[in-house]
Amino acid sequence: MVRTGPRAARIAAAGVALALMTTLAGPAAAAPGRADAGKLTVYVSATDGDDGNSGGRKDPFRTITAARDALAGRTSAEARGTVYIRGGGYVLDDTVRLTGPENSWVTYAAYRDEKVTVTGSHELPAEGWRRLTDLSAGTLAEPRYSSHTRLATPESREGVWVYDLGAAGIDPGTLYKNGFNWVQQPFAPELVVGGAAQTLAEYPNGNACSTTGTDCHLWGTGDKWDAETPRDLMNVDLEGRFGPERDWNFSGTTPRAQFEDKKQLLEDPGQRDTWSPQEMRRMTPSVFTVGGRALDGDRYRRWAPEAEPVVDDLGTRGLGDYTDVPVQLDPRWVEDIDNTEDETEGWLSGYFGNNYANDMVRILSWSGDRLYTKYPSMYIPQDAWTKVKVLNVLSELDTAGEYYIDRYDDNDVLYYKPEGGTVEGEVTTLQTFDKNFFLLDGTEGVTLRGLAMTGSLVSGVQLLDAVGTLIDGVDISNVSMDAIRIGRTTDTITTMPDYETVQGGHDNVVRNSYLHDLGGGGVLLGGGDRATLERGDNIAHHNEITRFSKLATYTPAGYLYGVGNSFEYNYVHDAPHMAVQIMGNDMRVNHNHFYDVVKNAGDQGVVYAGRDFTYLGNEVAYNHFEKIGGTNDALYLDDGASGVRFHHNVVDGAHSGVNFNSGHSNTANDNVFIGVKHAGHGGIYHRKGEKSLPLDNSWVLLSRFDSFLDVREGEKYSATPEHVAAWHRHYTGGKSKYADGKPITYPEITRWYVPRVTATGVDCRAADYSTTGTNGCGRATVWDDANSVWAPSRVEIDHAVVVGDTGFVETTATFTGPTSVYNLSRWSDKVNTHAVMATSVAETGLNPDTLKFSRSGRVAEAYGTKWVDEWNRSVSTKGIGRP
């Protein structure tokens, strides 16, 4: 493989770039490293190229960056450049950066379908591998091999190979704390053998368990997963260490409770801001009592040294009534570890405080029957949620495909147990590259075609303010974050009102590509301006995206952020978490096949959106949802998410089809549900009694509502009158259309409101509420007005074809003074209407292979042949995935 090095210099300003473009466009003498004047096609070859060549087909450059520089400033929309890359491997020491007009209008393509692999991975030459059992006693006595004795039996040493990374000058990388709501860091270096990522030494082994399968993880009680578990790790004194459970969200004793949305009722405004990540990392870590498999044979004692941690400073306390609860309990690192006996860098990774949010904590030590950790989890660690693996422990290197890197005291030795007992004949690489392969910043008209990219600890391709990019037929694998990111997210969490994507550009396309074996997600489609509702029109279509979200949660195959982006005709399969997340407006998630996803997490949907009344105009249509794991949904609109049209989908094998949790203007019409527990479920916010105002997560919901639909002078999040008017025009004018031509209209949007005390304009609180109140907080305005954002309106669930069980199950709430029953049907006459209930698929007339209906089945009888013909025109299994 050949290394592609960094550019010698960058043009910093667009004006300078344009000036150079003008200068270089004219005749110039050929020179080493510069293509001939007027020649806009250059070649790169890893095998016989030289960066001193002219770049011609017979005298190609050696590196991609040299080809880029040869064309810099010389291309335009009328005169495109082309870089043909000959077959071979190109190892990057730095990102290939394409910036501004000077690097625009160029295609980077594999030459005549030759196999081109761009990688950040270091190849580990075969001569560097040695069998552990072949090393002499003198070699094993060297300090760098001091950890080998932790493989204490002949059986554990058999078949293990070692590689001295330090002697080869290869960076062993670092393991960082990562997880839900934490600022992402590069993930652990991955060993790749024969193109497949291997497994960091773990216990228990395996990843084939279903959501409730107990063999692949250590568990607490399993109560929140509906799993019968061996109670391997049980938390110690949760109430004494974190305060009573009823107040955990607001006590300030967890990192999640230190985000601003949980702190808005504090008297001191200066205490309402989110803590820094550094402050939160010092908060109370987990302490476990071991049992079950962890206790069996004193197994837990293999994972860390014996010590009771020392705490020097208890630090900041909790909030309000919990000022006496210590929330900074950061133990010292254990000193004087005997590396020949004790593990030095073990981690627990998995679910600690919720079944949808993974996390990592460092194993610090053990003492008696206690296992101590360092670093907190984002939520209170609870026995009901605990479901974790032990990672990066050499003594657990007991299964083919596992590896471990000993970084202690700069030993930097890699241990590996290969399939078949040998590495001979295998191509092995270690990925420690923590940069993008390609970064397009302010470019226009760039194409990446036919390239394979593998081996990065961050995202593969990053686009910032790029326009008209085409990423076509690429193969991206073994990156620890996302394969492709169009735009970037702000440095906050998704639950915050100010979370958004920026620099998304517009009219960028990812198509015909294979994105697989990803620690994070597939394609982030940012773009568009939510304030003005200007579209991004970034598209991912005809791709195959599989085995993603291996290292993270909330990293789907498709992120749709901003306005007017599309995820269509993709085949998405085999993943532990969600497939698509919508955070914005006028998005399309159409004609996809989702198969065997959400296999591990809970409280999730294949397509998910949450906590926003203003996510309007989104369409999820013509999709095939098949084999959805756990108790999860095909579509989950969480915590008031609104404005989604779900139609002409087939859901086959799921807990439920749709979950409408208290949003507005959500419709699920003309869908087929096969083998589901129920076609859907959902409810209203007012489930905790009349004095529960404001609703759950109200500050976030209100802030986001105010950001686009309400003008309140002096508020941190407030729309301008111009933006409100633009939203009203956009969503009542009917100019924007869904895929089937139906207008996107919400006539009720002009009458939506947040209930407030009339005299003061302050949001309604429990003290203001009364059944017959006239201050703006009474039942008539807050609950009974179908156009209030506090009460679901224009919710439709009809024309459902249900095979095997029940229709939509409504959550109801009963209140007094006077007595009333509240459910979705109260505001809509299109809930649980016109359903076809069948005992078999054949009875409906649906062909499960083609997803077409017969004109003579039960559905045709109930809905008519015109409905059937429309379905058959729109829904198909053809054209999905890569060509």
Side-chain angles (χ1 to χ4, degrees):
M1 290 186 172
V2 62
R3 296 188 179 282
T4 298
R7 287 190 59 191
R10 289 181 61 187
I11 305 301
V16 176
L18 288 169
L20 282 175
M21 182 183 294
T22 302
T23 302
L24 294 173
R34 168 65 67 183
D36 292 340
K39 185 177 182 181
L40 297 180
T41 298
V42 297
Y43 294 80
V44 178
S45 174
T47 57
D48 59 356
D50 189 298
D51 285 350
N53 287 342
S54 68
R57 188 164 62 86
K58 295 183 179 180
D59 54 347
F61 296 124
R62 185 171 176 80
T63 65
I64 298 170
T65 51
R68 173 203 62 192
D69 293 345
L71 296 177
R74 304 174 59 217
T75 55
S76 67
E78 293 74 29
R80 290 190 59 90
T82 303
V83 175
Y84 281 123
I85 306 173
R86 302 300 303 268
Y90 298 80
V91 179
L92 303 182
D93 287 324
D94 200 1
T95 300
V96 178
R97 293 177 176 269
L98 309 175
T99 58
E102 67 167 352
N103 294 142
S104 293
W105 305 107
V106 178
T107 295
Y108 294 80
Y111 180 72
R112 294 186 176 178
D113 297 323
E114 293 180 358
K115 185 173 177 54
V116 174
T117 300
V118 178
T119 181
S121 298
H122 291 271
E123 188 170 349
L124 304 179
E127 59 269 19
W129 285 104
R130 304 172 72 183
R131 291 182 191 270
L132 181 61
T133 52
D134 288 347
L135 298 182
S136 67
T139 299
L140 291 174
E142 296 175 9
R144 59 184 166 152
Y145 290 109
S146 57
S147 62
H148 82 274
T149 53
R150 303 206 300 267
L151 295 169
T153 66
E155 293 79 14
S156 64
R157 301 164 68 82
E158 188 64 34
V160 175
W161 292 66
V162 294
Y163 201 102
D164 190 342
L165 300 174
I170 298 174
D171 184 353
T174 303
L175 273 72
Y176 295 99
K177 178 175 176 59
N178 273 300
F180 177 73
N181 282 348
W182 296 100
V183 176
Q184 277 195 331
Q185 304 288 330
F187 285 88
E190 286 194 296
L191 178 67
V192 178
V193 178
Q198 304 301 286
T199 302
L200 200 58
E202 65 181 15
Y203 180 81
N205 295 315
N207 59 8
C209 293
S210 66
T211 305
T212 58
T214 58
D215 290 345
C216 300
H217 298 85
L218 297 173
W219 289 77
T221 63
D223 291 351
K224 292 294 186 179
W225 301 83
D226 295 325
E228 295 185 10
T229 66
R231 296 175 179 246
D232 304 298
L233 298 175
M234 301 293 289
N235 284 278
V236 173
D237 190 19
L238 288 178
E239 184 165 324
R241 303 176 78 229
F242 299 99
E245 181 175 359
R246 66 179 181 274
D247 295 326
W248 281 346
N249 278 336
F250 305 98
S251 63
T253 58
T254 67
R256 184 63 187 90
Q258 289 292 349
F259 284 94
E260 61 177 332
D261 63 319
K262 301 297 186 184
K263 300 165 70 173
Q264 292 307 301
L265 297 181
L266 295 179
E267 291 185 6
D268 182 0
Q271 294 184 353
R272 296 176 188 168
D273 291 336
T274 300
W275 270 13
S276 70
Q278 292 75 22
E279 289 178 297
M280 289 191 286
R281 282 164 63 94
R282 292 195 295 267
M283 296 178 74
T284 310
S286 302
V287 179
F288 296 102
T289 298
V290 297
R293 291 167 294 179
L295 185 62
D296 187 25
D298 288 335
R299 189 170 205 125
Y300 70 101
R301 299 188 178 192
R302 305 181 197 172
W303 303 336
E306 181 181 12
E308 187 166 343
V310 176
V311 179
D312 293 316
D313 179 16
L314 296 182
T316 305
R317 305 302 200 265
L319 305 173
D321 294 338
Y322 301 101
T323 54
D324 59 339
V325 178
V327 299
Q328 288 190 8
L329 195 65
D330 188 26
R332 295 186 198 173
W333 292 110
V334 176
E335 303 293 340
D336 302 321
I337 295 176
D338 183 350
N339 189 45
T340 66
E341 296 184 3
D342 299 327
E343 295 291 342
T344 61
E345 200 182 6
W347 293 77
L348 293 176
S349 178
Y351 303 93
F352 293 87
N354 269 307
N355 61 352
Y356 55 82
N358 67 335
D359 212 332
M360 294 175 63
V361 299
R362 183 85 172 262
I363 303 175
L364 187 62
S365 64
W366 62 269
S367 180
D369 63 352
R370 298 283 174 88
L371 189 69
Y372 297 93
T373 68
K374 188 174 178 68
Y375 308 135
S377 60
M378 181 56 62
Y379 296 90
I380 293 287
Q382 301 178 58
D383 299 329
W385 301 108
T386 300
K387 176 184 175 182
V388 299
K389 283 181 177 288
V390 177
L391 294 182
N392 200 51
V393 171
L394 178 59
S395 59
E396 297 292 355
L397 188 80
D398 57 2
T399 302
E402 290 188 324
Y403 69 98
Y404 168 85
I405 300 175
D406 177 21
R407 301 177 182 83
Y408 185 74
D409 203 23
D410 296 326
N411 288 339
D412 296 347
V413 172
L414 168 64
Y415 293 78
Y416 175 50
K417 194 175 184 72
E419 296 279 355
T422 182
V423 296
E424 294 172 354
E426 296 284 1
V427 176
T428 61
T429 60
L430 184 69
Q431 68 178 52
T432 60
F433 185 66
D434 58 358
K435 300 175 182 178
N436 310 122
F437 304 120
F438 288 87
L439 170 61
L440 282 64
D441 188 350
T443 57
E444 186 171 3
V446 170
T447 295
L448 304 178
R449 177 176 287 124
L451 308 177
M453 294 171 250
T454 186
S456 172
L457 301 180
V458 294
S459 297
V461 178
Q462 174 74 70
L463 276 61
L464 299 174
D465 294 319
V467 174
T469 308
L470 174 60
I471 300 176
D472 185 19
V474 303
D475 181 323
I476 300 180
S477 65
N478 297 321
V479 298
S480 294
M481 293 185 185
D482 306 321
I484 299 167
R485 293 175 68 87
I486 300 175
R488 63 178 179 84
T489 58
T490 52
D491 192 14
T492 183
I493 62 172
T494 57
T495 57
M496 294 294 102
D498 50 359
Y499 181 87
E500 62 179 341
T501 56
V502 295
Q503 295 185 272
H506 58 86
D507 296 292
N508 301 293
V509 176
V510 180
R511 72 182 188 191
N512 306 331
S513 294
Y514 185 34
L515 313 177
H516 59 104
D517 298 288
L518 310 168
V523 183
L524 185 149
L525 292 161
D529 186 340
R530 293 198 67 212
T532 64
L533 294 171
E534 179 183 358
R535 297 174 60 86
D537 285 318
N538 295 313
I539 303 171
H541 65 99
H542 295 288
N543 304 290
E544 181 178 357
I545 307 175
T546 182
R547 297 186 299 278
F548 55 93
S549 288
K550 296 198 300 180
L551 302 176
T553 54
Y554 286 80
T555 53
Y559 310 74
L560 294 171
Y561 296 163
V563 181
N565 303 305
S566 301
F567 188 83
E568 299 184 308
Y569 291 97
N570 300 293
Y571 177 37
V572 179
H573 61 100
D574 191 16
H577 215 258
M578 70 171 76
V580 175
Q581 183 171 18
I582 299 173
M583 296 191 73
N585 297 62
D586 300 349
M587 309 291 194
R588 290 185 181 179
V589 182
N590 295 349
H591 298 286
N592 303 287
H593 186 188
F594 302 109
Y595 178 80
D596 200 17
V597 293
V598 207
K599 298 196 297 184
N600 191 287
D603 194 25
Q604 278 298 308
V606 177
V607 179
Y608 177 90
R611 292 196 182 186
D612 204 308
F613 292 128
T614 67
Y615 291 164
L616 305 175
N618 297 308
E619 180 179 33
V620 181
Y622 317 118
N623 300 290
H624 187 190
F625 298 85
E626 188 177 12
K627 194 180 178 183
I628 301 168
T631 57
N632 297 298
D633 315 294
L635 172 69
Y636 186 5
L637 302 181
D638 196 10
D639 288 346
S642 300
V644 173
R645 183 180 174 216
F646 185 85
H647 67 96
H648 293 88
N649 299 283
V650 175
V651 180
D652 185 357
H655 178 261
S656 75
V658 296
N659 182 356
F660 287 168
N661 184 9
S662 308
H664 281 245
S665 302
N666 294 313
T667 63
N669 302 326
D670 305 308
N671 299 288
V672 176
F673 303 99
I674 304 169
V676 298
K677 184 175 181 180
H678 40 249
H681 59 112
I684 59 176
Y685 266 113
H686 309 286
R687 292 176 294 178
K688 298 179 180 179
E690 294 183 0
K691 294 183 178 179
S692 66
L693 292 175
L695 62 145
D696 289 346
N697 305 310
S698 60
W699 185 78
V700 171
L701 283 157
L702 294 179
S703 297
R704 289 179 169 177
F705 182 91
D706 292 346
S707 294
F708 301 106
L709 289 172
D710 198 1
V711 180
R712 302 191 71 190
E713 188 175 350
E715 292 293 320
K716 181 177 181 181
Y717 302 101
S718 182
T720 67
E722 293 77 16
H723 287 158
V724 173
W727 275 59
H728 286 175
R729 287 193 303 271
H730 183 84
Y731 287 118
T732 60
K735 291 184 178 180
S736 296
K737 311 288 184 183
Y738 293 109
D740 60 358
K742 182 178 180 179
I744 300 174
T745 59
Y746 300 93
E748 68 275 20
I749 191 175
T750 60
R751 299 187 298 276
W752 281 7
Y753 73 100
V754 174
R756 298 195 177 102
V757 179
T758 305
T760 63
V762 175
D763 297 335
C764 292
R765 308 278 183 186
D768 305 312
Y769 178 78
S770 66
T771 301
T772 58
T774 59
N775 59 359
C777 301
R779 173 175 283 176
T781 51
V782 175
W783 295 38
D784 295 339
D785 180 354
N787 297 307
S788 165
V789 296
W790 298 93
S793 61
R794 200 185 174 195
V795 175
E796 299 179 10
I797 308 102
D798 69 354
H799 268 235
V801 179
V802 183
V803 179
D805 213 317
T806 59
F808 193 88
V809 178
E810 296 182 79
T811 299
T812 62
T814 302
F815 300 98
T816 59
T819 299
S820 298
V821 175
Y822 289 85
N823 53 33
L824 295 179
S825 299
R826 183 184 178 96
W827 288 275
S828 175
D829 60 358
K830 294 185 178 180
V831 174
N832 271 337
T833 57
H834 304 103
V836 172
M837 309 298 293
T839 58
S840 70
V841 175
E843 182 182 341
T844 68
L846 180 71
N847 183 325
D849 295 323
T850 64
L851 302 184
K852 305 291 187 182
F853 275 105
S854 164
R855 299 179 100 227
S856 60
R858 279 277 312 278
V859 170
E861 294 173 4
Y863 297 158
T865 56
K866 183 178 180 181
W867 186 96
V868 168
D869 291 344
E870 171 60 25
W871 175 283
N872 290 343
R873 278 194 300 270
S874 304
V875 181
S876 176
T877 58
K878 295 181 178 179
I880 296 174
R882 292 183 290 159

